[in-house]
Amino acid sequence: MFGLALSVLILIFGIFLRTTNNPGFASSKRFSWLFIILGIITLVGKIVILYQKGEM
């Protein structure tokens, strides 16, 4: 379950980077798609693994 929470957190952080106008995050905005894609892939992967194990 920690993996699911971590992947959702990565996804939310990527969306936050994409939508924020804070100048402190301006240099990190180009990594927003990386975090969004990484969050989606790990979330789907964890769900598939949990489903195959029968824990879901």
Side-chain angles (χ1 to χ4, degrees):
M1 288 298 165
F2 177 72
L4 283 175
L6 189 61
S7 62
V8 168
L9 186 68
I10 291 171
L11 179 63
I12 290 171
F13 182 66
I15 293 170
F16 166 75
L17 276 181
R18 191 79 189 139
T19 59
T20 189
N21 291 327
N22 189 339
F25 290 108
S27 63
S28 301
K29 279 184 98 75
R30 61 183 161 180
F31 294 114
S32 66
W33 286 114
L34 175 79
F35 285 120
I36 292 171
I37 292 170
L38 184 67
I40 290 171
I41 289 173
T42 55
L43 185 64
V44 169
K46 275 304 239 185
I47 290 173
V48 167
I49 289 171
L50 288 174
Y51 182 74
Q52 286 178 348
K53 284 177 140 180
E55 296 179 11
M56 185 170 255

